[in-house]
Amino acid sequence: MPRPGAVTRRQWLGLAASMAWAPAQATLRDDERVLFLPGTARRLDAGRIEADLHAWVYEPERRPGLRTAFARYLGLDQDAMSAADRERFRRRCGLFLADSERGKEVVVRFEAMPAQPVRLPATDAAGRSRLRAVIDGAPRGGSAAHLDFHAVLADGDTRRFAGRALLVPPEGLSVVSDIDDTVKLTEVRDRHEMLLNTFARPSRAAPGMAARYRRLAAAPGARVHYLSASPMQLLPVLEDFLAAAGFPRGSLHLRESTSWRSLVPGEGESRAHKLGAIAQLLHDFPARRFLFVGDSGEADPEIYAEVARAHPGRVQAILIRDVTGEGRDAPRYRAAFEGIEPGRWHLLPPDGGAWPRLPA
């Protein structure tokens, strides 16, 4: 894995391509679609912006037998579900059954910027294309928190595949938040309940968290980055949940998976994904302060504590939603937070009760 901030050969080639002549449209067939992950963007100077563009090109799978096989793989009994839950399962599992498309070029145009269209590198075998594009020109309405863009399609193609990048100021507070069992009740520690809550049941918000996040996001320069080991196929579900529950918009950093057989991350995969995403944010925004929010159901305390030890001056605080009831004096926390100032980490009550006073 390249170090944070390092540019891979693919990214260099993609950057060169984006600065050269761009084709008028994407190379997409009528049955192919594009999903953009909400990334980040930053101002390089008065006239340029760097945006992290991340696309997946896929073809929806229309063989109904695959949905049955997927349910069997997950251990879900569709016959035991209500009609509403079965329909919800049908919609939510759709992207896990899609075929990734290789060799597709995606061209995007930013809504509020007059720059030339940006051409992403051709998609790889997983249908993925990623580019850090440098765009000339300042966006109209300079206070906007997001840069909206869309895929440029062939003449007569009325579909719209839209994306956005979170424009992050050089200074301010970045709230890095886990999703499952931190802001969304998923019950990750119980595999069967987790799968039902993910695919069949209505999504439920953790009590009190949305209101807290809105207050944090209202501060000048504040931004929210949602970090999860959930696979990218759940992006539409998670975006719908965050919007409906009243959470502020932000970037989403999901695990790069396009196979339904890798729905649940392997040992160490979730940790590596989260540490990598955090390292990139710290590198990209060196003057910003960070507040980490997670839960005690998995390894968030250990991951955030590792980051805090490596970057003691960058981490304002660590907040852990207590879903295991271990208590602050548990051996786990003593080991995880060894060497970290006690006032820099806190347990949050799972019922949405009072938050601690955060250090400056």
Side-chain angles (χ1 to χ4, degrees):
M1 178 182 295
R3 70 183 187 281
V7 180
T8 66
R9 182 175 181 272
R10 175 181 289 275
Q11 288 171 329
W12 273 119
L13 292 174
L15 178 58
S18 74
M19 296 174 65
W21 174 84
Q25 62 196 37
T27 57
L28 298 180
R29 299 195 309 263
D30 291 345
D31 56 355
E32 294 169 344
R33 301 179 184 178
V34 185
L35 180 71
F36 293 107
L37 272 71
T40 59
R42 56 179 176 165
R43 298 180 190 273
L44 299 179
D45 50 42
R48 297 185 305 157
I49 287 178
E50 181 185 69
D52 189 11
L53 304 176
H54 192 175
W56 177 36
V57 179
Y58 66 95
E59 179 184 347
E61 180 54 65
R62 294 179 172 83
R63 288 176 289 173
L66 279 181
R67 190 164 64 248
T68 301
F70 184 46
R72 187 179 302 116
Y73 172 79
L74 298 177
L76 299 179
D77 183 357
Q78 294 186 82
D79 293 335
M81 296 180 187
S82 68
D85 286 349
R86 280 196 300 273
E87 173 59 21
R88 196 174 293 111
F89 173 74
R90 184 193 67 78
R91 287 186 281 106
R92 291 183 181 180
C93 75
L95 289 181
F96 289 90
L97 309 180
D99 289 330
S100 298
E101 298 298 319
R102 183 174 191 165
K104 300 296 177 178
E105 289 186 342
V106 177
V107 180
V108 303
R109 183 184 295 277
F110 285 82
E111 313 290 357
M113 300 182 70
Q116 282 284 96
V118 175
R119 179 177 59 196
L120 277 67
T123 56
D124 60 20
R128 305 288 292 281
S129 179
R130 188 164 189 168
L131 171 68
R132 288 203 152 197
V134 177
I135 309 151
D136 291 326
R140 294 188 291 270
S143 62
H146 288 89
L147 299 178
D148 296 314
F149 57 85
H150 65 275
V152 182
L153 304 179
D155 292 342
D157 191 338
T158 60
R159 299 176 299 168
R160 185 171 178 83
F161 303 119
R164 70 178 189 276
L166 179 69
L167 187 56
V168 181
E171 297 182 352
L173 178 67
S174 278
V175 180
V176 178
S177 172
D178 178 53
I179 295 179
D180 292 312
D181 291 326
T182 298
V183 300
K184 176 179 175 289
L185 300 180
T186 308
E187 299 184 64
V188 170
R189 292 178 297 152
D190 184 324
R191 178 185 170 90
H192 184 69
E193 288 298 300
M194 176 195 72
L195 293 172
L196 286 173
N197 288 328
T198 299
F199 288 102
R201 294 169 177 162
S203 299
R204 297 173 297 145
M209 297 297 277
R212 296 286 183 180
Y213 279 41
R214 289 196 298 270
R215 293 191 196 102
L216 290 170
R223 295 291 188 269
V224 181
H225 313 279
Y226 298 99
L227 173 59
S228 172
S230 293
M232 62 179 295
Q233 291 96 326
L234 289 176
L235 174 64
V237 176
L238 295 176
E239 285 197 301
D240 288 347
F241 159 73
L242 291 170
F247 285 93
R249 296 175 81 189
S251 59
L252 273 85
H253 306 263
L254 304 180
R255 186 165 50 89
E256 299 185 2
S257 168
T258 49
S259 168
W260 55 275
R261 295 187 183 277
S262 58
L263 167 64
V264 178
E267 184 177 355
E269 191 176 359
S270 174
R271 182 186 186 91
H273 164 68
K274 289 187 175 183
L275 285 173
I278 291 170
Q280 191 68 65
L281 289 169
L282 288 165
H283 176 273
D284 289 347
F285 308 106
R288 291 183 66 81
R289 296 171 294 116
F290 286 80
L291 170 65
F292 294 101
V293 189
D295 65 87
S296 62
E298 294 188 288
D300 287 344
E302 290 76 12
I303 292 170
Y304 295 159
E306 180 177 334
V307 174
R309 275 190 291 271
H311 304 274
R314 306 286 307 280
V315 178
Q316 181 182 20
I318 297 170
L319 305 179
I320 300 297
R321 184 170 177 268
D322 182 16
V323 298
T324 54
E326 295 170 88
R328 186 181 173 95
D329 294 329
R332 172 193 185 181
Y333 294 131
R334 290 202 301 269
F337 293 106
E338 182 180 3
I340 296 176
E341 182 183 342
R344 293 283 171 181
W345 71 275
H346 305 273
L347 294 182
L348 301 178
D351 62 359
W355 277 30
R357 184 179 183 87
L358 301 180

